[in-house]
PDB file of all heavy atoms in Angstrom:
ATOM      1  N   LEU W   1     -12.467 201.477 125.482  1.00 98.00           N
ATOM      2  CA  LEU W   1     -13.452 202.545 125.429  1.00 98.00           C
ATOM      3  C   LEU W   1     -13.761 202.980 126.853  1.00 98.00           C
ATOM      4  O   LEU W   1     -14.071 202.149 127.701  1.00 98.00           O
ATOM      5  CB  LEU W   1     -14.732 202.074 124.728  1.00 98.00           C
ATOM      6  CG  LEU W   1     -15.900 203.062 124.693  1.00 98.00           C
ATOM      7  CD1 LEU W   1     -15.527 204.322 123.907  1.00 98.00           C
ATOM      8  CD2 LEU W   1     -17.149 202.412 124.083  1.00 98.00           C
ATOM      9  N   ILE W   2     -13.652 204.275 127.110  1.00 98.00           N
ATOM     10  CA  ILE W   2     -14.016 204.825 128.413  1.00 98.00           C
ATOM     11  C   ILE W   2     -15.294 205.618 128.244  1.00 98.00           C
ATOM     12  O   ILE W   2     -15.289 206.721 127.681  1.00 98.00           O
ATOM     13  CB  ILE W   2     -12.918 205.723 129.008  1.00 98.00           C
ATOM     14  CG1 ILE W   2     -11.564 205.000 129.006  1.00 98.00           C
ATOM     15  CG2 ILE W   2     -13.289 206.151 130.422  1.00 98.00           C
ATOM     16  CD1 ILE W   2     -10.552 205.581 128.065  1.00 98.00           C
ATOM     17  N   SER W   3     -16.424 205.049 128.671  1.00 98.00           N
ATOM     18  CA  SER W   3     -17.706 205.742 128.612  1.00 98.00           C
ATOM     19  C   SER W   3     -17.812 206.673 129.808  1.00 98.00           C
ATOM     20  O   SER W   3     -17.529 206.280 130.942  1.00 98.00           O
ATOM     21  CB  SER W   3     -18.869 204.736 128.631  1.00 98.00           C
ATOM     22  OG  SER W   3     -18.908 203.984 127.439  1.00 98.00           O
ATOM     23  N   LEU W   4     -18.228 207.906 129.568  1.00 98.00           N
ATOM     24  CA  LEU W   4     -18.307 208.901 130.631  1.00 98.00           C
ATOM     25  C   LEU W   4     -19.757 209.185 131.009  1.00 98.00           C
ATOM     26  O   LEU W   4     -20.629 209.264 130.143  1.00 98.00           O
ATOM     27  CB  LEU W   4     -17.620 210.189 130.188  1.00 98.00           C
ATOM     28  CG  LEU W   4     -16.120 210.056 129.886  1.00 98.00           C
ATOM     29  CD1 LEU W   4     -15.576 211.347 129.306  1.00 98.00           C
ATOM     30  CD2 LEU W   4     -15.349 209.661 131.145  1.00 98.00           C
ATOM     31  N   THR W   5     -20.026 209.337 132.282  1.00 96.00           N
ATOM     32  CA  THR W   5     -21.350 209.545 132.870  1.00 96.00           C
ATOM     33  C   THR W   5     -22.188 208.273 132.744  1.00 96.00           C
ATOM     34  O   THR W   5     -22.552 207.660 133.732  1.00 96.00           O
ATOM     35  CB  THR W   5     -22.099 210.734 132.232  1.00 96.00           C
ATOM     36  OG1 THR W   5     -21.259 211.897 132.275  1.00 96.00           O
ATOM     37  CG2 THR W   5     -23.400 211.010 132.981  1.00 96.00           C
ATOM     38  N   ALA W   6     -22.533 207.899 131.512  1.00 97.00           N
ATOM     39  CA  ALA W   6     -23.240 206.651 131.202  1.00 97.00           C
ATOM     40  C   ALA W   6     -22.861 206.276 129.784  1.00 97.00           C
ATOM     41  O   ALA W   6     -22.561 207.144 128.964  1.00 97.00           O
ATOM     42  CB  ALA W   6     -24.754 206.827 131.328  1.00 97.00           C
ATOM     43  N   PRO W   7     -22.850 204.977 129.459  1.00 98.00           N
ATOM     44  CA  PRO W   7     -22.467 204.591 128.094  1.00 98.00           C
ATOM     45  C   PRO W   7     -23.483 205.061 127.067  1.00 98.00           C
ATOM     46  O   PRO W   7     -24.670 205.183 127.353  1.00 98.00           O
ATOM     47  CB  PRO W   7     -22.396 203.060 128.157  1.00 98.00           C
ATOM     48  CG  PRO W   7     -23.236 202.681 129.344  1.00 98.00           C
ATOM     49  CD  PRO W   7     -23.128 203.807 130.319  1.00 98.00           C
ATOM     50  N   LYS W   8     -23.002 205.358 125.874  1.00 97.00           N
ATOM     51  CA  LYS W   8     -23.856 205.775 124.772  1.00 97.00           C
ATOM     52  C   LYS W   8     -24.222 204.549 123.934  1.00 97.00           C
ATOM     53  O   LYS W   8     -23.559 203.517 123.997  1.00 97.00           O
ATOM     54  CB  LYS W   8     -23.145 206.822 123.917  1.00 97.00           C
ATOM     55  CG  LYS W   8     -22.416 207.906 124.702  1.00 97.00           C
ATOM     56  CD  LYS W   8     -23.283 208.595 125.721  1.00 97.00           C
ATOM     57  CE  LYS W   8     -22.539 209.659 126.512  1.00 97.00           C
ATOM     58  NZ  LYS W   8     -21.556 209.138 127.466  1.00 97.00           N
ATOM     59  N   LYS W   9     -25.277 204.648 123.131  1.00 97.00           N
ATOM     60  CA  LYS W   9     -25.763 203.499 122.369  1.00 97.00           C
ATOM     61  C   LYS W   9     -24.694 202.931 121.441  1.00 97.00           C
ATOM     62  O   LYS W   9     -24.675 201.725 121.167  1.00 97.00           O
ATOM     63  CB  LYS W   9     -27.012 203.885 121.579  1.00 97.00           C
ATOM     64  CG  LYS W   9     -28.238 204.082 122.456  1.00 97.00           C
ATOM     65  CD  LYS W   9     -29.478 204.398 121.637  1.00 97.00           C
ATOM     66  CE  LYS W   9     -30.702 204.538 122.530  1.00 97.00           C
ATOM     67  NZ  LYS W   9     -31.924 204.864 121.750  1.00 97.00           N
ATOM     68  N   ALA W  10     -23.809 203.768 120.958  1.00 96.00           N
ATOM     69  CA  ALA W  10     -22.734 203.287 120.085  1.00 96.00           C
ATOM     70  C   ALA W  10     -21.871 202.245 120.771  1.00 96.00           C
ATOM     71  O   ALA W  10     -21.300 201.365 120.118  1.00 96.00           O
ATOM     72  CB  ALA W  10     -21.870 204.455 119.615  1.00 96.00           C
ATOM     73  N   ALA W  11     -21.775 202.319 122.103  1.00 97.00           N
ATOM     74  CA  ALA W  11     -20.938 201.384 122.853  1.00 97.00           C
ATOM     75  C   ALA W  11     -21.417 199.951 122.733  1.00 97.00           C
ATOM     76  O   ALA W  11     -20.651 199.007 122.963  1.00 97.00           O
ATOM     77  CB  ALA W  11     -20.862 201.799 124.318  1.00 97.00           C
ATOM     78  N   LEU W  12     -22.696 199.753 122.365  1.00 96.00           N
ATOM     79  CA  LEU W  12     -23.204 198.399 122.154  1.00 96.00           C
ATOM     80  C   LEU W  12     -22.537 197.735 120.957  1.00 96.00           C
ATOM     81  O   LEU W  12     -22.592 196.516 120.810  1.00 96.00           O
ATOM     82  CB  LEU W  12     -24.720 198.441 121.952  1.00 96.00           C
ATOM     83  CG  LEU W  12     -25.541 198.860 123.186  1.00 96.00           C
ATOM     84  CD1 LEU W  12     -26.989 199.138 122.788  1.00 96.00           C
ATOM     85  CD2 LEU W  12     -25.480 197.785 124.267  1.00 96.00           C
ATOM     86  N   HIS W  13     -21.901 198.522 120.100  1.00 96.00           N
ATOM     87  CA  HIS W  13     -21.201 198.005 118.929  1.00 96.00           C
ATOM     88  C   HIS W  13     -19.697 197.894 119.163  1.00 96.00           C
ATOM     89  O   HIS W  13     -18.957 197.519 118.244  1.00 96.00           O
ATOM     90  CB  HIS W  13     -21.471 198.905 117.720  1.00 96.00           C
ATOM     91  CG  HIS W  13     -22.934 199.057 117.400  1.00 96.00           C
ATOM     92  ND1 HIS W  13     -23.627 198.134 116.641  1.00 96.00           N
ATOM     93  CD2 HIS W  13     -23.841 200.013 117.754  1.00 96.00           C
ATOM     94  CE1 HIS W  13     -24.895 198.518 116.536  1.00 96.00           C
ATOM     95  NE2 HIS W  13     -25.049 199.646 117.196  1.00 96.00           N
ATOM     96  N   PHE W  14     -19.239 198.225 120.356  1.00 96.00           N
ATOM     97  CA  PHE W  14     -17.816 198.166 120.685  1.00 96.00           C
ATOM     98  C   PHE W  14     -17.366 196.713 120.799  1.00 96.00           C
ATOM     99  O   PHE W  14     -18.014 195.908 121.467  1.00 96.00           O
ATOM    100  CB  PHE W  14     -17.565 198.904 122.004  1.00 96.00           C
ATOM    101  CG  PHE W  14     -16.183 198.751 122.551  1.00 96.00           C
ATOM    102  CD1 PHE W  14     -15.089 199.284 121.893  1.00 96.00           C
ATOM    103  CD2 PHE W  14     -15.975 198.070 123.752  1.00 96.00           C
ATOM    104  CE1 PHE W  14     -13.806 199.148 122.414  1.00 96.00           C
ATOM    105  CE2 PHE W  14     -14.702 197.928 124.280  1.00 96.00           C
ATOM    106  CZ  PHE W  14     -13.612 198.466 123.608  1.00 96.00           C
ATOM    107  N   ARG W  15     -16.249 196.381 120.157  1.00 95.00           N
ATOM    108  CA  ARG W  15     -15.757 195.007 120.149  1.00 95.00           C
ATOM    109  C   ARG W  15     -14.341 194.894 120.701  1.00 95.00           C
ATOM    110  O   ARG W  15     -13.683 193.871 120.542  1.00 95.00           O
ATOM    111  CB  ARG W  15     -15.794 194.448 118.720  1.00 95.00           C
ATOM    112  CG  ARG W  15     -17.214 194.316 118.148  1.00 95.00           C
ATOM    113  CD  ARG W  15     -18.030 193.315 118.929  1.00 95.00           C
ATOM    114  NE  ARG W  15     -19.396 193.183 118.407  1.00 95.00           N
ATOM    115  CZ  ARG W  15     -20.445 193.819 118.900  1.00 95.00           C
ATOM    116  NH1 ARG W  15     -20.279 194.645 119.925  1.00 95.00           N
ATOM    117  NH2 ARG W  15     -21.641 193.664 118.390  1.00 95.00           N
ATOM    118  N   GLY W  16     -13.856 195.921 121.342  1.00 97.00           N
ATOM    119  CA  GLY W  16     -12.522 195.888 121.926  1.00 97.00           C
ATOM    120  C   GLY W  16     -12.476 195.079 123.211  1.00 97.00           C
ATOM    121  O   GLY W  16     -13.495 194.543 123.684  1.00 97.00           O
ATOM    122  N   ARG W  17     -11.304 195.007 123.823  1.00 98.00           N
ATOM    123  CA  ARG W  17     -11.115 194.182 125.019  1.00 98.00           C
ATOM    124  C   ARG W  17     -11.576 194.843 126.306  1.00 98.00           C
ATOM    125  O   ARG W  17     -12.019 194.160 127.240  1.00 98.00           O
ATOM    126  CB  ARG W  17      -9.627 193.813 125.154  1.00 98.00           C
ATOM    127  CG  ARG W  17      -9.113 192.877 124.093  1.00 98.00           C
ATOM    128  CD  ARG W  17      -7.666 192.501 124.374  1.00 98.00           C
ATOM    129  NE  ARG W  17      -6.774 193.662 124.272  1.00 98.00           N
ATOM    130  CZ  ARG W  17      -5.502 193.647 124.623  1.00 98.00           C
ATOM    131  NH1 ARG W  17      -4.963 192.538 125.110  1.00 98.00           N
ATOM    132  NH2 ARG W  17      -4.755 194.732 124.471  1.00 98.00           N
ATOM    133  N   TYR W  18     -11.482 196.142 126.383  1.00 98.00           N
ATOM    134  CA  TYR W  18     -11.722 196.822 127.651  1.00 98.00           C
ATOM    135  C   TYR W  18     -12.769 197.922 127.498  1.00 98.00           C
ATOM    136  O   TYR W  18     -12.627 198.814 126.664  1.00 98.00           O
ATOM    137  CB  TYR W  18     -10.430 197.456 128.183  1.00 98.00           C
ATOM    138  CG  TYR W  18      -9.252 196.521 128.226  1.00 98.00           C
ATOM    139  CD1 TYR W  18      -8.197 196.663 127.325  1.00 98.00           C
ATOM    140  CD2 TYR W  18      -9.182 195.492 129.165  1.00 98.00           C
ATOM    141  CE1 TYR W  18      -7.111 195.811 127.361  1.00 98.00           C
ATOM    142  CE2 TYR W  18      -8.092 194.636 129.206  1.00 98.00           C
ATOM    143  CZ  TYR W  18      -7.056 194.796 128.300  1.00 98.00           C
ATOM    144  OH  TYR W  18      -5.992 193.951 128.334  1.00 98.00           O
ATOM    145  N   HIS W  19     -13.798 197.859 128.325  1.00 98.00           N
ATOM    146  CA  HIS W  19     -14.808 198.911 128.370  1.00 98.00           C
ATOM    147  C   HIS W  19     -14.984 199.332 129.826  1.00 98.00           C
ATOM    148  O   HIS W  19     -15.379 198.535 130.672  1.00 98.00           O
ATOM    149  CB  HIS W  19     -16.143 198.414 127.788  1.00 98.00           C
ATOM    150  CG  HIS W  19     -17.183 199.486 127.684  1.00 98.00           C
ATOM    151  ND1 HIS W  19     -18.522 199.204 127.426  1.00 98.00           N
ATOM    152  CD2 HIS W  19     -17.101 200.841 127.799  1.00 98.00           C
ATOM    153  CE1 HIS W  19     -19.196 200.334 127.375  1.00 98.00           C
ATOM    154  NE2 HIS W  19     -18.368 201.331 127.602  1.00 98.00           N
ATOM    155  N   TYR W  20     -14.643 200.572 130.096  1.00 98.00           N
ATOM    156  CA  TYR W  20     -14.777 201.111 131.439  1.00 98.00           C
ATOM    157  C   TYR W  20     -15.806 202.235 131.466  1.00 98.00           C
ATOM    158  O   TYR W  20     -15.937 203.000 130.505  1.00 98.00           O
ATOM    159  CB  TYR W  20     -13.432 201.658 131.944  1.00 98.00           C
ATOM    160  CG  TYR W  20     -12.493 200.597 132.462  1.00 98.00           C
ATOM    161  CD1 TYR W  20     -11.575 199.978 131.623  1.00 98.00           C
ATOM    162  CD2 TYR W  20     -12.520 200.208 133.804  1.00 98.00           C
ATOM    163  CE1 TYR W  20     -10.707 199.000 132.091  1.00 98.00           C
ATOM    164  CE2 TYR W  20     -11.651 199.234 134.285  1.00 98.00           C
ATOM    165  CZ  TYR W  20     -10.751 198.639 133.435  1.00 98.00           C
ATOM    166  OH  TYR W  20      -9.900 197.670 133.901  1.00 98.00           O
ATOM    167  N   LEU W  21     -16.518 202.319 132.578  1.00 98.00           N
ATOM    168  CA  LEU W  21     -17.384 203.456 132.853  1.00 98.00           C
ATOM    169  C   LEU W  21     -16.620 204.395 133.766  1.00 98.00           C
ATOM    170  O   LEU W  21     -16.048 203.973 134.775  1.00 98.00           O
ATOM    171  CB  LEU W  21     -18.676 202.989 133.532  1.00 98.00           C
ATOM    172  CG  LEU W  21     -19.652 204.085 133.970  1.00 98.00           C
ATOM    173  CD1 LEU W  21     -20.197 204.831 132.757  1.00 98.00           C
ATOM    174  CD2 LEU W  21     -20.791 203.474 134.789  1.00 98.00           C
ATOM    175  N   GLY W  22     -16.577 205.659 133.416  1.00 97.00           N
ATOM    176  CA  GLY W  22     -15.850 206.639 134.212  1.00 97.00           C
ATOM    177  C   GLY W  22     -16.698 207.857 134.500  1.00 97.00           C
ATOM    178  O   GLY W  22     -17.717 208.099 133.846  1.00 97.00           O
ATOM    179  N   GLY W  23     -16.256 208.644 135.453  1.00 86.00           N
ATOM    180  CA  GLY W  23     -16.987 209.839 135.823  1.00 86.00           C
ATOM    181  C   GLY W  23     -17.915 209.583 136.974  1.00 86.00           C
ATOM    182  O   GLY W  23     -19.133 209.621 136.834  1.00 86.00           O
ATOM    183  N   ARG W  24     -17.342 209.317 138.117  1.00 94.00           N
ATOM    184  CA  ARG W  24     -18.143 208.990 139.306  1.00 94.00           C
ATOM    185  C   ARG W  24     -18.646 210.287 139.959  1.00 94.00           C
ATOM    186  O   ARG W  24     -18.223 210.671 141.043  1.00 94.00           O
ATOM    187  CB  ARG W  24     -17.287 208.177 140.287  1.00 94.00           C
ATOM    188  CG  ARG W  24     -18.066 207.555 141.425  1.00 94.00           C
ATOM    189  CD  ARG W  24     -17.136 206.719 142.296  1.00 94.00           C
ATOM    190  NE  ARG W  24     -17.853 206.064 143.372  1.00 94.00           N
ATOM    191  CZ  ARG W  24     -17.274 205.221 144.245  1.00 94.00           C
ATOM    192  NH1 ARG W  24     -15.988 204.942 144.129  1.00 94.00           N
ATOM    193  NH2 ARG W  24     -17.994 204.665 145.190  1.00 94.00           N
ATOM    194  N   PHE W  25     -19.544 210.952 139.238  1.00 95.00           N
ATOM    195  CA  PHE W  25     -20.019 212.241 139.732  1.00 95.00           C
ATOM    196  C   PHE W  25     -21.529 212.421 139.552  1.00 95.00           C
ATOM    197  O   PHE W  25     -22.058 213.485 139.850  1.00 95.00           O
ATOM    198  CB  PHE W  25     -19.300 213.391 139.027  1.00 95.00           C
ATOM    199  CG  PHE W  25     -19.263 213.265 137.522  1.00 95.00           C
ATOM    200  CD1 PHE W  25     -20.397 213.455 136.759  1.00 95.00           C
ATOM    201  CD2 PHE W  25     -18.074 212.950 136.879  1.00 95.00           C
ATOM    202  CE1 PHE W  25     -20.366 213.331 135.391  1.00 95.00           C
ATOM    203  CE2 PHE W  25     -18.025 212.829 135.500  1.00 95.00           C
ATOM    204  CZ  PHE W  25     -19.171 213.033 134.748  1.00 95.00           C
TER     205      PHE W  25
END
């Protein structure tokens, strides 16, 4: 999961191996 700007609440339910924050702006 690539969360953009800031993670959304749904990401708290993510169970995959990789979670990245993107959008360094």
